[in-house]
Amino acid sequence: MPPYFHPLQTDLRKPAKFNDPFCYEPHPLCLLAAKEVQDYIAGDAKVRADADRGKMFGVLVVGTDDGRLGYLAAFSGLLCGTNDHAFFVPPVYDATRPDGYFKAHEAEITAINRRIDSLEHSEEYIAAKREMCVLQGKHNEVLSDYRNKMAMAKLQREAKRWCYKHHITARHDVLTPEDEAAMIRESQFMNAEYKRLKRRCADEAAPVEAKVKAAEGEISALKARRRQMSDALQRWLFSQYSMLNARGVSRSLVEIFAETPQRVPPSGTGDCCAPKLLQHAYANGLRPVCMAEFWWGRSPGGEVRHHLHYYPACRGKCLPILTYMLQGLEVAKGSYEATVTQPLEVVYEDGWLAVVNKPAGMKTVPGRDGGTSVLEDMRQRHPDKPQLTPVHRLDMDTSGLIVVAFDAETYKKLQAQFLRREVRKRYVAILDGVPDRPVHGEISLPLRPDPLDRPYQKVDFENGKEAVTEYRILETMGNVTRIALFPHTGRTHQLRLHCAHAGGLGTPILGDRLYGHGGGRLCLHAEAIEFTHPVTGKGMKFERKAEF
């Protein structure tokens, strides 16, 4: 029996093609295999304790040359701090071996980190920085006082000259050359004295600054060396990941990512479930049948992951790898494209703009893979308006009201209203559960894109952009909740993430395939919008109730 091969006893039929790992519904064979993995996790106290903190697991259903059917199991990253588990396939390359090249050089980098930390927290360095700060404050005060003295003397000289010029002095009718020379000498002396004062301050601070600069120079040099060593070790590590494809051809991660826009693999590349599973299958002569990945445990802080929910492979790390590794396999083209069953409704139209009601499943603007869109539909209706464009957007899965400008000037003026937050919008949604929150409130969770897993967005309090949503719970119907949402900002996926994230309502929108549990349409509808007409100045208000 091949290593790490778990037999499956089932009459379920195999799929005709291998599923797209980035867009799929789990095949029944994957569900059967995943259930066995979940039972294994639940039955091993140590594994479960680690998995409960949050981890992605994967299954790959495979066939053998003699016709047996089974599955391989994997986890992303490490489990219980190691790669060595009898139930799960090994990593493509094990960087955790204590006597290995990676660990030895990682120890050198760790030693540099300790030296940097020791220098930055040494009593001598801290005392020198404190002394330098005190001296700088003292010198700044001394120099500032003398500059004020110079400014006052200059004012007095100018006043003296003015008095002589206007004959209001009792002593002289005119300024004598001797008086002028004396004032010039005073100015020159004070300027020279200021330079001497600066030099005395610099001389006094020099020994302390030398100590600080010496320490900072050593710290800077160590950090540069650490960066150089880390980059070199990372490149070496990625060169050890030799990835097979279905044709039996092998390429390193360095070679695979050299053809991508980022050129360099992100940290952790190659240790996700999907590459590990396919690598083991190819290396042991097993034929991939279908694949799925599920999340176990708590959701990560900035993301939304649901326990035992299935997810696609990450795009930032895995898309280039799997695109290569699946070469030679017949892969089904995955698609989440919703069918547009209704035409685009024009709610209002005049010579400058239109308000339309977009059905779920229709894009706002054309995508790479085609499909109908608001922009294309409206341009077909108005071929005489080549500058026609939507002023804002809705997700493809979201239905509701969109404002369309017929010319560039109208677009610019309407955009300005959005930027000034003068446009008022109301959405209605059905939540997949009952949130334990007040009936009315406000959610403020800053958002940013997840660069390694687009189109997902993340909550990020350090680097995210402000995102604010007001909500009002309208009614609870069994285990679902109808809610009104009032976005004060317009971030991508703002309402979906604010509903799903634990820091928001903690309850995803029904049908949300990204942040919820999928199934059916996304129950989110932009039902009302208010703005000022950019030409007439008239207040405009439109409403279209949701069909759900």
Side-chain angles (χ1 to χ4, degrees), residues 421 423-427 440-448 459 461 464-472 484-499 503-505:
R421 300 184 183 181
V423 178
R424 292 173 293 280
K425 293 185 287 183
R426 182 177 76 247
Y427 290 71
H440 176 253
E442 186 176 276
I443 303 163
S444 180
L445 295 173
L447 306 179
R448 69 168 176 85
V459 173
F461 286 94
K465 293 184 178 180
E466 180 190 28
V468 180
T469 303
E470 182 185 353
Y471 73 89
R472 185 176 295 279
L485 299 163
F486 308 88
H488 297 303
T489 53
R491 308 301 176 201
T492 301
H493 296 175
Q494 175 177 317
L495 300 182
R496 297 166 71 170
L497 197 48
H498 277 186
C499 288
L505 296 177

Side-chain angles (χ1 to χ4, degrees), residues 489-544:
T489 53
R491 308 301 176 201
T492 301
H493 296 175
Q494 175 177 317
L495 300 182
R496 297 166 71 170
L497 197 48
H498 277 186
C499 288
H501 195 272
L505 296 177
T507 312
I509 297 173
L510 190 66
D512 192 341
R513 60 182 174 84
L514 295 181
Y515 307 104
H517 305 97
R521 70 151 290 180
L522 176 70
C523 291
L524 177 63
H525 176 76
E527 71 171 4
I529 189 166
E530 296 180 53
F531 59 93
T532 301
H533 196 290
V535 178
T536 66
K538 179 183 176 182
M540 313 291 283
K541 182 177 181 179
F542 302 95
E543 185 173 336
R544 277 295 184 275

Side-chain angles (χ1 to χ4, degrees), residues 23-43:
C23 187
Y24 68 91
E25 290 295 330
H27 188 274
L29 285 170
C30 285
L31 296 176
L32 183 63
K35 180 63 171 61
E36 291 194 11
V37 176
Q38 292 159 11
D39 289 343
Y40 172 81
I41 297 169

Side-chain angles (χ1 to χ4, degrees), residues 42 62 84 92 122 171 215 230 236 392-393 395 475 477 503 525:
V62 293
D84 186 17
V92 179
S122 69
R171 295 181 56 204
S230 296
W236 177 88
H392 57 114
R393 299 187 183 189
D395 293 344
E475 61 177 324
M477 306 163 287
H525 176 76

Side-chain angles (χ1 to χ4, degrees), residues 234-248:
Q234 193 76 285
R235 285 194 300 272
W236 177 88
L237 178 62
F238 289 140
S239 71
Q240 305 307 300
Y241 282 74
S242 184
M243 317 303 294
L244 288 164
N245 64 18
R247 298 189 179 107

Side-chain angles (χ1 to χ4, degrees), residues 246-295:
R247 298 189 179 107
V249 181
S250 178
R251 297 186 75 187
S252 73
L253 290 181
V254 174
E255 294 172 313
I256 291 172
F257 275 82
E259 301 171 358
T260 65
Q262 62 263 47
R263 306 285 295 173
V264 177
S267 178
T269 300
D271 291 325
C272 296
C273 296
K276 291 164 72 171
L277 290 167
L278 288 171
Q279 181 78 2
H280 190 78
Y282 294 150
N284 289 276
L286 299 170
R287 294 190 302 278
V289 175
C290 53
M291 173 187 285
E293 297 182 54
F294 65 88
W295 183 262

